[in-house]
Amino acid sequence: VSETDRSDEKKAASTVATIRDVAAQAGVSTATVSRVLSGGGNVRADLADRVRQAAAALRYQPNRLARNLRVRETQVVGVIIPNIENSFFTAVIRAVDEVLQQASYSILLGIYYDCPARERAVAATFRAEATAGILFTPGPESAGAYEALLDAGVPMVSVSRRAELPVDFVGVTNYQGAYDATRHLIQLRHRRIGFINGPCTVSTAVDRHRGVEAAFRDASLAMTPELEVETPWTHAGGYLAAKKLLALSERPTAILAGNNLQTLGALEAIHESKLEIPRDIAVVGIDEMPWATSLRPSLTTVTLPCAEVGRVAAQLLLDRIKDSERTLQNVELPTKLVIRASCGWE
Amino acid sequence: VSETDRSDEKKAASTVATIRDVAAQAGVSTATVSRVLSGGGNVRADLADRVRQAAAALRYQPNRLARNLRVRETQVVGVIIPNIENSFFTAVIRAVDEVLQQASYSILLGIYYDCPARERAVAATFRAEATAGILFTPGPESAGAYEALLDAGVPMVSVSRRAELPVDFVGVTNYQGAYDATRHLIQLRHRRIGFINGPCTVSTAVDRHRGVEAAFRDASLAMTPELEVETPWTHAGGYLAAKKLLALSERPTAILAGNNLQTLGALEAIHESKLEIPRDIAVVGIDEMPWATSLRPSLTTVTLPCAEVGRVAAQLLLDRIKDSERTLQNVELPTKLVIRASCGWE
DNA sequence: CTGAAAGCGCTTACAG
DNA sequence: CTGAAAGCGCTTACAG
């Protein structure tokens, strides 16, 4: 093996074939290669064959970076969420991914851990990465974070929580879900219902608060303010909130918890207090909870159509990418009260 | 407002400032703008100021796509996992993300749903996107999927499951974890231990099988083959496996489940059969299970250091990106048997 | 210290 | 149908 051969080998091993290599090998221009491989124009069959053979032989993979720069668009969609350890978001992402993979988009994942600064940072990064679109669940102070994206005309849809921005939205009927859960508890003769809610700085918490309130009102009852506690959407948040509720001189006979993590925390607090579900206290959770049926007693929940939320979100984004002028969409998907064993039976 | 002004406005609204706009506004060359904004070379203070002012005024954001193409590297890392609805992976991703955000990388997420074809597709896409590195948990038939990536010299580290490839690896002590759990059950006088394992086509399942086997052997006992069932790493898999075990003429007195989803399924099956934990049957789960302490009885588990796995994986990748020549790393992080209430007490 | 110019790997009018 | 050439927005030797 000569010196030259060796260096060629080395080059072949560490370097990647480009469109020029394919063109040279096939004896055509790069334009023709591009036409053959990217589908577009008509190319004579024999040339096309030569190109395909050359591409295969060189294991040619088009460099997406170059294509992106040239056509000024990418095949990646940014997904911005507050927390990946929350099963609501993972269930949504799963559905989003299925639709997006179908449409040849990849997901760039941005997690901001309920931190406004990180949310801004992620949004700025995605702007720089020139994502084809953004799916986001905004935090409480998200106002400024998405401005640059909006200015740049990047298609966006907000998911689950409404954004104060002119973007498409898909969420669930939080008002109705909270209403249904509360009415169910009221019908079971509960009057002191502890309500563990997220911070009322995001739309989901506000809507749920209103739903609970309305259910009381419709039953000619009133909410007891000390029984609603706003706490972070976390396990610790739910735990602390439940502790507080259970320590009340007149403790609640039922607890309604705002999301899956809070519910987990509340359950832990209840178990620590040696209360028995549903005999001593009823529990309803609002959210996606894969473990609801594995609990004993199984947990009554307001289920959210996570997969549907994800699918619709992805579809709205795809539609918006295709047509930036279409009117703003606003979708609310129905929640469903699923009665299991954690509230007992009438 | 004149025609021209209007069209300028429109242009300003829909178009994004480039480095040329900044250069023009600041009265310097694009090279100088690049130097100022990308940190590099020395630039006279007054020029630098002018550049920064112009950039701010135009709300200039460098186009990462162009930079990427030019410098032949991206700021994104591909993360390839079988399933996002598995809390092990989300816990790992969270930690990965924290390290990677720190280092200014974003995560491109690839989910393959335990499907070899999708795994290949994702790997090919990430190759085309020119990711700076790949973190992946390979499936059973992953052999070919990562070849192109490897050929292209893309840094890779396999996470949790060993790959048959020359790449860095970080996982947990599955052998020891399964051993500890089994020994614990044996010490509690269990002899018929149902073991719900994943398919022995991936290293985690194989290692756990060996651990269980060794614990029996060290106690001068033998595993009962009918009591080990290989099933997918899903809720349904665990449910079906537990059903099968509980239907045995001589049913097991304990169940060891291989991951969080299988454990959930097994619990559901146990509840359906009206058996009481731990009185009638003991249960141990191996995996990250955020809900373990919210269960009643709380669940004895072999906990995995997910966060540490994620951090190490990200760090190994960063190190590999920096130095492609360093020797292959092989890290196994310790599991821990956490005894709670689901096996009763001695 | 600064600028003119080349070039990353594609796609796509524009000629022919 | 096909190719030569321009250009996407950057960075970086190379001169000066």
PDB file of all heavy atoms in Angstrom, chain B residues 128-159:
ATOM      1  N   ALA B 128     -27.535  12.886  10.138  1.00  0.00           N
ATOM      2  CA  ALA B 128     -27.743  13.953   9.165  1.00  0.00           C
ATOM      3  C   ALA B 128     -27.752  15.323   9.832  1.00  0.00           C
ATOM      4  O   ALA B 128     -27.279  16.301   9.268  1.00  0.00           O
ATOM      5  CB  ALA B 128     -29.055  13.739   8.413  1.00  0.00           C
ATOM      6  N   GLU B 129     -28.280  15.392  11.042  1.00  0.00           N
ATOM      7  CA  GLU B 129     -28.335  16.666  11.758  1.00  0.00           C
ATOM      8  C   GLU B 129     -26.962  17.053  12.302  1.00  0.00           C
ATOM      9  O   GLU B 129     -26.802  18.108  12.899  1.00  0.00           O
ATOM     10  CB  GLU B 129     -29.327  16.594  12.921  1.00  0.00           C
ATOM     11  CG  GLU B 129     -30.788  16.493  12.509  1.00  0.00           C
ATOM     12  CD  GLU B 129     -31.351  17.822  11.992  1.00  0.00           C
ATOM     13  OE1 GLU B 129     -30.641  18.840  12.031  1.00  0.00           O
ATOM     14  OE2 GLU B 129     -32.500  17.823  11.532  1.00  0.00           O
ATOM     15  N   ALA B 130     -25.993  16.157  12.127  1.00  0.00           N
ATOM     16  CA  ALA B 130     -24.624  16.436  12.570  1.00  0.00           C
ATOM     17  C   ALA B 130     -24.549  16.754  14.054  1.00  0.00           C
ATOM     18  O   ALA B 130     -23.907  17.712  14.474  1.00  0.00           O
ATOM     19  CB  ALA B 130     -24.029  17.581  11.745  1.00  0.00           C
ATOM     20  N   THR B 131     -25.209  15.956  14.855  1.00  0.00           N
ATOM     21  CA  THR B 131     -25.143  16.149  16.303  1.00  0.00           C
ATOM     22  C   THR B 131     -23.693  16.052  16.770  1.00  0.00           C
ATOM     23  O   THR B 131     -22.899  15.298  16.217  1.00  0.00           O
ATOM     24  CB  THR B 131     -25.958  15.071  17.039  1.00  0.00           C
ATOM     25  OG1 THR B 131     -25.599  13.788  16.540  1.00  0.00           O
ATOM     26  CG2 THR B 131     -27.449  15.288  16.836  1.00  0.00           C
ATOM     27  N   ALA B 132     -23.394  16.815  17.810  1.00  0.00           N
ATOM     28  CA  ALA B 132     -22.028  16.847  18.329  1.00  0.00           C
ATOM     29  C   ALA B 132     -21.692  15.573  19.077  1.00  0.00           C
ATOM     30  O   ALA B 132     -20.525  15.271  19.323  1.00  0.00           O
ATOM     31  CB  ALA B 132     -21.864  18.050  19.250  1.00  0.00           C
ATOM     32  N   GLY B 133     -22.725  14.820  19.451  1.00  0.00           N
ATOM     33  CA  GLY B 133     -22.508  13.587  20.196  1.00  0.00           C
ATOM     34  C   GLY B 133     -23.835  12.900  20.419  1.00  0.00           C
ATOM     35  O   GLY B 133     -24.888  13.492  20.206  1.00  0.00           O
ATOM     36  N   ILE B 134     -23.753  11.649  20.840  1.00  0.00           N
ATOM     37  CA  ILE B 134     -24.967  10.854  21.011  1.00  0.00           C
ATOM     38  C   ILE B 134     -24.920  10.116  22.342  1.00  0.00           C
ATOM     39  O   ILE B 134     -23.915   9.478  22.667  1.00  0.00           O
ATOM     40  CB  ILE B 134     -25.088   9.792  19.895  1.00  0.00           C
ATOM     41  CG1 ILE B 134     -25.135  10.447  18.503  1.00  0.00           C
ATOM     42  CG2 ILE B 134     -26.284   8.889  20.129  1.00  0.00           C
ATOM     43  CD1 ILE B 134     -26.493  10.893  18.067  1.00  0.00           C
ATOM     44  N   LEU B 135     -26.010  10.212  23.065  1.00  0.00           N
ATOM     45  CA  LEU B 135     -26.232   9.389  24.250  1.00  0.00           C
ATOM     46  C   LEU B 135     -27.332   8.421  23.868  1.00  0.00           C
ATOM     47  O   LEU B 135     -28.410   8.864  23.447  1.00  0.00           O
ATOM     48  CB  LEU B 135     -26.741  10.284  25.385  1.00  0.00           C
ATOM     49  CG  LEU B 135     -25.855  10.713  26.537  1.00  0.00           C
ATOM     50  CD1 LEU B 135     -24.388  10.701  26.202  1.00  0.00           C
ATOM     51  CD2 LEU B 135     -26.288  12.052  27.066  1.00  0.00           C
ATOM     52  N   PHE B 136     -27.089   7.133  24.010  1.00  0.00           N
ATOM     53  CA  PHE B 136     -28.132   6.209  23.552  1.00  0.00           C
ATOM     54  C   PHE B 136     -28.263   4.966  24.413  1.00  0.00           C
ATOM     55  O   PHE B 136     -27.291   4.474  24.970  1.00  0.00           O
ATOM     56  CB  PHE B 136     -27.875   5.807  22.102  1.00  0.00           C
ATOM     57  CG  PHE B 136     -26.660   4.939  21.909  1.00  0.00           C
ATOM     58  CD1 PHE B 136     -26.783   3.624  21.472  1.00  0.00           C
ATOM     59  CD2 PHE B 136     -25.391   5.434  22.155  1.00  0.00           C
ATOM     60  CE1 PHE B 136     -25.670   2.815  21.287  1.00  0.00           C
ATOM     61  CE2 PHE B 136     -24.264   4.636  21.972  1.00  0.00           C
ATOM     62  CZ  PHE B 136     -24.401   3.328  21.540  1.00  0.00           C
ATOM     63  N   THR B 137     -29.487   4.514  24.505  1.00  0.00           N
ATOM     64  CA  THR B 137     -29.784   3.252  25.161  1.00  0.00           C
ATOM     65  C   THR B 137     -30.244   2.313  24.061  1.00  0.00           C
ATOM     66  O   THR B 137     -31.366   2.425  23.571  1.00  0.00           O
ATOM     67  CB  THR B 137     -30.899   3.433  26.202  1.00  0.00           C
ATOM     68  OG1 THR B 137     -30.448   4.339  27.207  1.00  0.00           O
ATOM     69  CG2 THR B 137     -31.255   2.106  26.845  1.00  0.00           C
ATOM     70  N   PRO B 138     -29.330   1.416  23.641  1.00  0.00           N
ATOM     71  CA  PRO B 138     -29.609   0.609  22.456  1.00  0.00           C
ATOM     72  C   PRO B 138     -30.666  -0.470  22.691  1.00  0.00           C
ATOM     73  O   PRO B 138     -30.794  -0.982  23.800  1.00  0.00           O
ATOM     74  CB  PRO B 138     -28.251  -0.035  22.162  1.00  0.00           C
ATOM     75  CG  PRO B 138     -27.552  -0.063  23.476  1.00  0.00           C
ATOM     76  CD  PRO B 138     -28.024   1.139  24.230  1.00  0.00           C
ATOM     77  N   GLY B 139     -31.389  -0.779  21.646  1.00  0.00           N
ATOM     78  CA  GLY B 139     -32.350  -1.876  21.688  1.00  0.00           C
ATOM     79  C   GLY B 139     -31.667  -3.183  21.337  1.00  0.00           C
ATOM     80  O   GLY B 139     -30.462  -3.221  21.098  1.00  0.00           O
ATOM     81  N   PRO B 140     -32.445  -4.248  21.270  1.00  0.00           N
ATOM     82  CA  PRO B 140     -31.864  -5.575  21.046  1.00  0.00           C
ATOM     83  C   PRO B 140     -31.175  -5.757  19.696  1.00  0.00           C
ATOM     84  O   PRO B 140     -30.196  -6.468  19.602  1.00  0.00           O
ATOM     85  CB  PRO B 140     -33.069  -6.507  21.170  1.00  0.00           C
ATOM     86  CG  PRO B 140     -34.277  -5.651  21.255  1.00  0.00           C
ATOM     87  CD  PRO B 140     -33.864  -4.273  21.573  1.00  0.00           C
ATOM     88  N   GLU B 141     -31.677  -5.103  18.656  1.00  0.00           N
ATOM     89  CA  GLU B 141     -31.069  -5.317  17.344  1.00  0.00           C
ATOM     90  C   GLU B 141     -30.417  -4.047  16.835  1.00  0.00           C
ATOM     91  O   GLU B 141     -30.592  -3.652  15.690  1.00  0.00           O
ATOM     92  CB  GLU B 141     -32.132  -5.763  16.328  1.00  0.00           C
ATOM     93  CG  GLU B 141     -32.835  -7.036  16.701  1.00  0.00           C
ATOM     94  CD  GLU B 141     -34.036  -7.268  15.794  1.00  0.00           C
ATOM     95  OE1 GLU B 141     -33.888  -7.123  14.557  1.00  0.00           O
ATOM     96  OE2 GLU B 141     -35.114  -7.577  16.315  1.00  0.00           O
ATOM     97  N   SER B 142     -29.679  -3.405  17.708  1.00  0.00           N
ATOM     98  CA  SER B 142     -29.183  -2.077  17.363  1.00  0.00           C
ATOM     99  C   SER B 142     -27.908  -2.109  16.540  1.00  0.00           C
ATOM    100  O   SER B 142     -27.417  -1.064  16.112  1.00  0.00           O
ATOM    101  CB  SER B 142     -28.945  -1.285  18.640  1.00  0.00           C
ATOM    102  OG  SER B 142     -27.872  -1.873  19.344  1.00  0.00           O
ATOM    103  N   ALA B 143     -27.366  -3.314  16.358  1.00  0.00           N
ATOM    104  CA  ALA B 143     -26.055  -3.453  15.722  1.00  0.00           C
ATOM    105  C   ALA B 143     -25.819  -2.438  14.601  1.00  0.00           C
ATOM    106  O   ALA B 143     -24.957  -1.579  14.701  1.00  0.00           O
ATOM    107  CB  ALA B 143     -25.894  -4.872  15.189  1.00  0.00           C
ATOM    108  N   GLY B 144     -26.597  -2.522  13.534  1.00  0.00           N
ATOM    109  CA  GLY B 144     -26.349  -1.691  12.365  1.00  0.00           C
ATOM    110  C   GLY B 144     -26.701  -0.228  12.522  1.00  0.00           C
ATOM    111  O   GLY B 144     -26.144   0.630  11.841  1.00  0.00           O
ATOM    112  N   ALA B 145     -27.604   0.060  13.433  1.00  0.00           N
ATOM    113  CA  ALA B 145     -28.167   1.410  13.505  1.00  0.00           C
ATOM    114  C   ALA B 145     -27.120   2.505  13.686  1.00  0.00           C
ATOM    115  O   ALA B 145     -27.270   3.603  13.150  1.00  0.00           O
ATOM    116  CB  ALA B 145     -29.201   1.482  14.628  1.00  0.00           C
ATOM    117  N   TYR B 146     -26.073   2.182  14.427  1.00  0.00           N
ATOM    118  CA  TYR B 146     -25.141   3.238  14.803  1.00  0.00           C
ATOM    119  C   TYR B 146     -23.851   3.248  13.990  1.00  0.00           C
ATOM    120  O   TYR B 146     -22.945   4.020  14.267  1.00  0.00           O
ATOM    121  CB  TYR B 146     -24.840   3.134  16.298  1.00  0.00           C
ATOM    122  CG  TYR B 146     -26.098   3.267  17.123  1.00  0.00           C
ATOM    123  CD1 TYR B 146     -26.778   2.153  17.578  1.00  0.00           C
ATOM    124  CD2 TYR B 146     -26.640   4.522  17.384  1.00  0.00           C
ATOM    125  CE1 TYR B 146     -27.962   2.273  18.305  1.00  0.00           C
ATOM    126  CE2 TYR B 146     -27.819   4.658  18.103  1.00  0.00           C
ATOM    127  CZ  TYR B 146     -28.469   3.528  18.553  1.00  0.00           C
ATOM    128  OH  TYR B 146     -29.641   3.663  19.259  1.00  0.00           O
ATOM    129  N   GLU B 147     -23.789   2.399  12.983  1.00  0.00           N
ATOM    130  CA  GLU B 147     -22.575   2.274  12.191  1.00  0.00           C
ATOM    131  C   GLU B 147     -22.155   3.596  11.535  1.00  0.00           C
ATOM    132  O   GLU B 147     -21.013   4.027  11.655  1.00  0.00           O
ATOM    133  CB  GLU B 147     -22.786   1.239  11.090  1.00  0.00           C
ATOM    134  CG  GLU B 147     -21.932   0.006  11.267  1.00  0.00           C
ATOM    135  CD  GLU B 147     -22.282  -1.038  10.227  1.00  0.00           C
ATOM    136  OE1 GLU B 147     -22.554  -0.655   9.065  1.00  0.00           O
ATOM    137  OE2 GLU B 147     -22.307  -2.226  10.580  1.00  0.00           O
ATOM    138  N   ALA B 148     -23.117   4.206  10.862  1.00  0.00           N
ATOM    139  CA  ALA B 148     -22.806   5.439  10.144  1.00  0.00           C
ATOM    140  C   ALA B 148     -22.299   6.517  11.098  1.00  0.00           C
ATOM    141  O   ALA B 148     -21.356   7.248  10.799  1.00  0.00           O
ATOM    142  CB  ALA B 148     -24.037   5.939   9.391  1.00  0.00           C
ATOM    143  N   LEU B 149     -22.934   6.588  12.250  1.00  0.00           N
ATOM    144  CA  LEU B 149     -22.532   7.557  13.264  1.00  0.00           C
ATOM    145  C   LEU B 149     -21.087   7.290  13.699  1.00  0.00           C
ATOM    146  O   LEU B 149     -20.260   8.190  13.814  1.00  0.00           O
ATOM    147  CB  LEU B 149     -23.460   7.390  14.472  1.00  0.00           C
ATOM    148  CG  LEU B 149     -24.515   8.390  14.943  1.00  0.00           C
ATOM    149  CD1 LEU B 149     -24.621   9.627  14.106  1.00  0.00           C
ATOM    150  CD2 LEU B 149     -25.849   7.724  15.137  1.00  0.00           C
ATOM    151  N   LEU B 150     -20.823   6.022  13.940  1.00  0.00           N
ATOM    152  CA  LEU B 150     -19.495   5.610  14.373  1.00  0.00           C
ATOM    153  C   LEU B 150     -18.461   5.935  13.290  1.00  0.00           C
ATOM    154  O   LEU B 150     -17.398   6.488  13.572  1.00  0.00           O
ATOM    155  CB  LEU B 150     -19.522   4.106  14.647  1.00  0.00           C
ATOM    156  CG  LEU B 150     -18.705   3.576  15.811  1.00  0.00           C
ATOM    157  CD1 LEU B 150     -19.024   4.324  17.086  1.00  0.00           C
ATOM    158  CD2 LEU B 150     -18.964   2.092  15.985  1.00  0.00           C
ATOM    159  N   ASP B 151     -18.807   5.595  12.049  1.00  0.00           N
ATOM    160  CA  ASP B 151     -17.915   5.876  10.922  1.00  0.00           C
ATOM    161  C   ASP B 151     -17.626   7.365  10.812  1.00  0.00           C
ATOM    162  O   ASP B 151     -16.517   7.771  10.484  1.00  0.00           O
ATOM    163  CB  ASP B 151     -18.562   5.413   9.603  1.00  0.00           C
ATOM    164  CG  ASP B 151     -18.451   3.910   9.427  1.00  0.00           C
ATOM    165  OD1 ASP B 151     -17.838   3.266  10.306  1.00  0.00           O
ATOM    166  OD2 ASP B 151     -18.969   3.395   8.432  1.00  0.00           O
ATOM    167  N   ALA B 152     -18.651   8.152  11.043  1.00  0.00           N
ATOM    168  CA  ALA B 152     -18.475   9.594  10.919  1.00  0.00           C
ATOM    169  C   ALA B 152     -17.711  10.165  12.107  1.00  0.00           C
ATOM    170  O   ALA B 152     -17.470  11.367  12.172  1.00  0.00           O
ATOM    171  CB  ALA B 152     -19.830  10.275  10.778  1.00  0.00           C
ATOM    172  N   GLY B 153     -17.366   9.297  13.055  1.00  0.00           N
ATOM    173  CA  GLY B 153     -16.579   9.756  14.196  1.00  0.00           C
ATOM    174  C   GLY B 153     -17.369  10.548  15.215  1.00  0.00           C
ATOM    175  O   GLY B 153     -16.805  11.331  15.977  1.00  0.00           O
ATOM    176  N   VAL B 154     -18.664  10.354  15.231  1.00  0.00           N
ATOM    177  CA  VAL B 154     -19.483  11.072  16.205  1.00  0.00           C
ATOM    178  C   VAL B 154     -19.282  10.459  17.596  1.00  0.00           C
ATOM    179  O   VAL B 154     -19.432   9.251  17.757  1.00  0.00           O
ATOM    180  CB  VAL B 154     -20.975  10.985  15.821  1.00  0.00           C
ATOM    181  CG1 VAL B 154     -21.835  11.671  16.867  1.00  0.00           C
ATOM    182  CG2 VAL B 154     -21.211  11.593  14.450  1.00  0.00           C
ATOM    183  N   PRO B 155     -18.939  11.273  18.567  1.00  0.00           N
ATOM    184  CA  PRO B 155     -18.768  10.759  19.935  1.00  0.00           C
ATOM    185  C   PRO B 155     -20.076  10.157  20.451  1.00  0.00           C
ATOM    186  O   PRO B 155     -21.139  10.731  20.249  1.00  0.00           O
ATOM    187  CB  PRO B 155     -18.416  12.021  20.732  1.00  0.00           C
ATOM    188  CG  PRO B 155     -17.849  12.964  19.736  1.00  0.00           C
ATOM    189  CD  PRO B 155     -18.605  12.701  18.471  1.00  0.00           C
ATOM    190  N   MET B 156     -19.960   9.007  21.102  1.00  0.00           N
ATOM    191  CA  MET B 156     -21.170   8.338  21.583  1.00  0.00           C
ATOM    192  C   MET B 156     -20.917   7.718  22.935  1.00  0.00           C
ATOM    193  O   MET B 156     -19.818   7.226  23.196  1.00  0.00           O
ATOM    194  CB  MET B 156     -21.553   7.219  20.612  1.00  0.00           C
ATOM    195  CG  MET B 156     -21.943   7.699  19.237  1.00  0.00           C
ATOM    196  SD  MET B 156     -22.925   6.464  18.369  1.00  0.00           S
ATOM    197  CE  MET B 156     -21.639   5.547  17.569  1.00  0.00           C
ATOM    198  N   VAL B 157     -21.944   7.717  23.770  1.00  0.00           N
ATOM    199  CA  VAL B 157     -21.851   6.899  24.974  1.00  0.00           C
ATOM    200  C   VAL B 157     -23.164   6.181  25.172  1.00  0.00           C
ATOM    201  O   VAL B 157     -24.237   6.750  25.016  1.00  0.00           O
ATOM    202  CB  VAL B 157     -21.348   7.679  26.243  1.00  0.00           C
ATOM    203  CG1 VAL B 157     -21.060   9.127  25.964  1.00  0.00           C
ATOM    204  CG2 VAL B 157     -22.232   7.485  27.426  1.00  0.00           C
ATOM    205  N   SER B 158     -23.052   4.892  25.447  1.00  0.00           N
ATOM    206  CA  SER B 158     -24.261   4.101  25.652  1.00  0.00           C
ATOM    207  C   SER B 158     -24.619   4.158  27.128  1.00  0.00           C
ATOM    208  O   SER B 158     -23.749   4.152  27.999  1.00  0.00           O
ATOM    209  CB  SER B 158     -24.081   2.670  25.166  1.00  0.00           C
ATOM    210  OG  SER B 158     -23.330   1.912  26.068  1.00  0.00           O
ATOM    211  N   VAL B 159     -25.907   4.247  27.375  1.00  0.00           N
ATOM    212  CA  VAL B 159     -26.397   4.486  28.720  1.00  0.00           C
ATOM    213  C   VAL B 159     -27.290   3.336  29.166  1.00  0.00           C
ATOM    214  O   VAL B 159     -28.210   2.954  28.434  1.00  0.00           O
ATOM    215  CB  VAL B 159     -27.198   5.805  28.766  1.00  0.00           C
ATOM    216  CG1 VAL B 159     -27.725   6.070  30.166  1.00  0.00           C
ATOM    217  CG2 VAL B 159     -26.350   6.969  28.282  1.00  0.00           C
TER     218      VAL B 159
END
